[in-house]
Amino acid sequence: MVAKVEANNDRSYNFLWMFVVLLIAGALAANYYYAERSLLIRMGGLLLSLVLAVGLASRTRGGRLGWQYWCEALEEVRRMAWPTRKEVLQSTGAVLLMAFVMGLLLWGVDGLLLWAVSALNEMWWS
């Protein structure tokens, strides 16, 4: 009996997902079709359609799992150990310094190779 209820719910969830996709596609098509209308009105319609689509999607199992994943991801971000301003500035300075030093090194190697090829070219063709 429980399996039968689950099968019916899966069908209704598929219908909801299809409706969500059609709602978003319709909103995008309407935004394109009414391009001459005010941007504020079109964005309001898109936002309303998006809110409706998210509300409908949240009623499905996949939507609930997605919302749970989002909440867990935000919780994980809050628990992260973020670097201090001093650490960020020191790291950025080190990266910029290394980029400058590598740029100078590659510029020197390029100049050396250009000189060597020019010297070989003059020896070969003269």
Side-chain angles (χ1 to χ4, degrees), residues 60-82:
T60 65
R61 182 174 180 271
R64 283 192 297 272
L65 288 175
W67 181 253
Q68 181 182 1
Y69 177 79
W70 176 258
C71 291
E72 289 173 3
L74 286 178
E75 183 181 324
E76 188 67 30
V77 166
R78 285 189 205 108
R79 283 191 284 160
M80 273 179 66
W82 294 95

Short mmCIF file of all heavy atoms in Angstrom, two decimals, residues 60-82:
data_model
loop_
_atom_site.label_atom_id
_atom_site.label_comp_id
_atom_site.label_asym_id
_atom_site.label_seq_id
_atom_site.Cartn_x
_atom_site.Cartn_y
_atom_site.Cartn_z
N THR A 60 8.31 19.26 -3.96
CA THR A 60 8.72 17.94 -4.42
C THR A 60 9.83 17.39 -3.52
O THR A 60 10.46 18.14 -2.76
CB THR A 60 9.23 17.98 -5.87
OG1 THR A 60 10.43 18.77 -5.91
CG2 THR A 60 8.19 18.58 -6.81
N ARG A 61 10.10 16.11 -3.65
CA ARG A 61 11.16 15.49 -2.87
C ARG A 61 12.52 16.07 -3.27
O ARG A 61 13.34 16.39 -2.41
CB ARG A 61 11.14 13.98 -3.09
CG ARG A 61 12.18 13.24 -2.29
CD ARG A 61 12.02 11.72 -2.45
NE ARG A 61 13.02 11.02 -1.69
CZ ARG A 61 14.20 10.69 -2.17
NH1 ARG A 61 14.54 10.99 -3.41
NH2 ARG A 61 15.07 10.05 -1.42
N GLY A 62 12.73 16.22 -4.56
CA GLY A 62 13.99 16.81 -5.03
C GLY A 62 14.16 18.24 -4.56
O GLY A 62 15.27 18.66 -4.22
N GLY A 63 13.07 18.99 -4.55
CA GLY A 63 13.13 20.36 -4.06
C GLY A 63 13.48 20.44 -2.60
O GLY A 63 14.26 21.29 -2.17
N ARG A 64 12.87 19.54 -1.81
CA ARG A 64 13.19 19.52 -0.37
C ARG A 64 14.65 19.13 -0.15
O ARG A 64 15.33 19.69 0.70
CB ARG A 64 12.27 18.56 0.36
CG ARG A 64 10.87 19.15 0.58
CD ARG A 64 10.06 18.31 1.55
NE ARG A 64 9.81 16.96 1.05
CZ ARG A 64 8.78 16.62 0.29
NH1 ARG A 64 7.90 17.53 -0.08
NH2 ARG A 64 8.61 15.38 -0.10
N LEU A 65 15.13 18.15 -0.92
CA LEU A 65 16.54 17.75 -0.79
C LEU A 65 17.46 18.90 -1.21
O LEU A 65 18.50 19.12 -0.60
CB LEU A 65 16.81 16.51 -1.63
CG LEU A 65 16.22 15.20 -1.11
CD1 LEU A 65 16.47 14.07 -2.10
CD2 LEU A 65 16.79 14.86 0.26
N GLY A 66 17.08 19.61 -2.27
CA GLY A 66 17.87 20.76 -2.70
C GLY A 66 17.91 21.85 -1.65
O GLY A 66 18.96 22.45 -1.39
N TRP A 67 16.75 22.12 -1.02
CA TRP A 67 16.71 23.13 0.03
C TRP A 67 17.55 22.69 1.22
O TRP A 67 18.26 23.50 1.82
CB TRP A 67 15.27 23.38 0.46
CG TRP A 67 15.17 24.43 1.51
CD1 TRP A 67 14.89 24.25 2.83
CD2 TRP A 67 15.39 25.83 1.34
NE1 TRP A 67 14.92 25.44 3.49
CE2 TRP A 67 15.22 26.44 2.60
CE3 TRP A 67 15.71 26.64 0.25
CZ2 TRP A 67 15.36 27.80 2.79
CZ3 TRP A 67 15.85 28.00 0.45
CH2 TRP A 67 15.67 28.57 1.70
N GLN A 68 17.47 21.41 1.59
CA GLN A 68 18.27 20.89 2.69
C GLN A 68 19.77 21.03 2.38
O GLN A 68 20.55 21.43 3.24
CB GLN A 68 17.92 19.43 2.93
CG GLN A 68 18.68 18.80 4.07
CD GLN A 68 18.33 17.32 4.24
OE1 GLN A 68 17.54 16.78 3.49
NE2 GLN A 68 18.95 16.69 5.21
N TYR A 69 20.15 20.73 1.14
CA TYR A 69 21.55 20.88 0.73
C TYR A 69 21.99 22.34 0.85
O TYR A 69 23.08 22.65 1.33
CB TYR A 69 21.72 20.38 -0.70
CG TYR A 69 23.11 20.56 -1.24
CD1 TYR A 69 24.13 19.68 -0.89
CD2 TYR A 69 23.42 21.62 -2.09
CE1 TYR A 69 25.41 19.85 -1.36
CE2 TYR A 69 24.69 21.79 -2.57
CZ TYR A 69 25.68 20.90 -2.21
OH TYR A 69 26.95 21.09 -2.68
N TRP A 70 21.13 23.26 0.41
CA TRP A 70 21.45 24.69 0.46
C TRP A 70 21.66 25.13 1.91
O TRP A 70 22.61 25.86 2.22
CB TRP A 70 20.33 25.49 -0.20
CG TRP A 70 20.51 26.96 -0.12
CD1 TRP A 70 19.89 27.81 0.73
CD2 TRP A 70 21.41 27.76 -0.88
NE1 TRP A 70 20.32 29.09 0.54
CE2 TRP A 70 21.26 29.09 -0.45
CE3 TRP A 70 22.32 27.49 -1.90
CZ2 TRP A 70 21.98 30.14 -1.00
CZ3 TRP A 70 23.04 28.55 -2.44
CH2 TRP A 70 22.87 29.84 -1.99
N CYS A 71 20.77 24.70 2.81
CA CYS A 71 20.89 25.07 4.22
C CYS A 71 22.16 24.50 4.84
O CYS A 71 22.85 25.20 5.60
CB CYS A 71 19.66 24.60 4.99
SG CYS A 71 18.16 25.50 4.56
N GLU A 72 22.49 23.27 4.50
CA GLU A 72 23.72 22.66 5.02
C GLU A 72 24.96 23.37 4.48
O GLU A 72 25.95 23.55 5.19
CB GLU A 72 23.76 21.18 4.68
CG GLU A 72 22.76 20.36 5.47
CD GLU A 72 22.70 18.92 5.00
OE1 GLU A 72 23.48 18.53 4.09
OE2 GLU A 72 21.88 18.16 5.53
N ALA A 73 24.90 23.79 3.20
CA ALA A 73 26.03 24.51 2.62
C ALA A 73 26.23 25.85 3.32
O ALA A 73 27.37 26.25 3.62
CB ALA A 73 25.82 24.71 1.12
N LEU A 74 25.14 26.56 3.59
CA LEU A 74 25.25 27.84 4.32
C LEU A 74 25.80 27.63 5.73
O LEU A 74 26.62 28.43 6.21
CB LEU A 74 23.89 28.53 4.39
CG LEU A 74 23.40 29.16 3.09
CD1 LEU A 74 22.02 29.77 3.30
CD2 LEU A 74 24.36 30.20 2.59
N GLU A 75 25.37 26.57 6.38
CA GLU A 75 25.88 26.26 7.71
C GLU A 75 27.38 25.98 7.66
O GLU A 75 28.14 26.42 8.52
CB GLU A 75 25.14 25.06 8.28
CG GLU A 75 25.54 24.70 9.68
CD GLU A 75 24.78 23.48 10.18
OE1 GLU A 75 23.60 23.33 9.83
OE2 GLU A 75 25.39 22.69 10.91
N GLU A 76 27.81 25.27 6.63
CA GLU A 76 29.23 24.96 6.48
C GLU A 76 30.04 26.23 6.22
O GLU A 76 31.16 26.38 6.74
CB GLU A 76 29.42 23.97 5.33
CG GLU A 76 30.82 23.43 5.20
CD GLU A 76 31.22 22.55 6.36
OE1 GLU A 76 30.36 21.91 6.97
OE2 GLU A 76 32.44 22.54 6.68
N VAL A 77 29.49 27.14 5.45
CA VAL A 77 30.18 28.41 5.19
C VAL A 77 30.33 29.20 6.48
O VAL A 77 31.36 29.83 6.72
CB VAL A 77 29.42 29.22 4.11
CG1 VAL A 77 29.90 30.65 4.06
CG2 VAL A 77 29.59 28.57 2.76
N ARG A 78 29.30 29.17 7.33
CA ARG A 78 29.39 29.89 8.61
C ARG A 78 30.44 29.28 9.53
O ARG A 78 31.04 29.99 10.33
CB ARG A 78 28.03 29.88 9.30
CG ARG A 78 27.05 30.83 8.69
CD ARG A 78 25.78 30.95 9.53
NE ARG A 78 24.72 31.37 8.66
CZ ARG A 78 23.71 30.61 8.25
NH1 ARG A 78 23.62 29.36 8.68
NH2 ARG A 78 22.78 31.05 7.44
N ARG A 79 30.65 27.97 9.43
CA ARG A 79 31.61 27.29 10.30
C ARG A 79 33.05 27.41 9.79
O ARG A 79 33.98 27.05 10.51
CB ARG A 79 31.26 25.82 10.45
CG ARG A 79 30.10 25.59 11.38
CD ARG A 79 29.95 24.13 11.70
NE ARG A 79 29.33 23.47 10.55
CZ ARG A 79 29.37 22.18 10.31
NH1 ARG A 79 30.05 21.39 11.10
NH2 ARG A 79 28.77 21.66 9.27
N MET A 80 33.22 27.88 8.56
CA MET A 80 34.57 27.96 8.00
C MET A 80 35.43 28.95 8.77
O MET A 80 34.93 29.93 9.31
CB MET A 80 34.52 28.43 6.53
CG MET A 80 34.34 27.31 5.56
SD MET A 80 34.26 27.89 3.87
CE MET A 80 35.87 28.52 3.61
N ALA A 81 36.72 28.68 8.77
CA ALA A 81 37.68 29.60 9.39
C ALA A 81 38.18 30.53 8.29
O ALA A 81 38.97 30.14 7.44
CB ALA A 81 38.83 28.83 10.01
N TRP A 82 37.66 31.75 8.27
CA TRP A 82 38.04 32.71 7.23
C TRP A 82 39.34 33.40 7.62
O TRP A 82 39.59 33.67 8.80
CB TRP A 82 36.92 33.74 7.06
CG TRP A 82 35.68 33.12 6.53
CD1 TRP A 82 34.61 32.67 7.24
CD2 TRP A 82 35.40 32.85 5.16
NE1 TRP A 82 33.67 32.16 6.40
CE2 TRP A 82 34.12 32.25 5.12
CE3 TRP A 82 36.07 33.05 3.96
CZ2 TRP A 82 33.53 31.85 3.93
CZ3 TRP A 82 35.47 32.66 2.79
CH2 TRP A 82 34.23 32.07 2.77
#
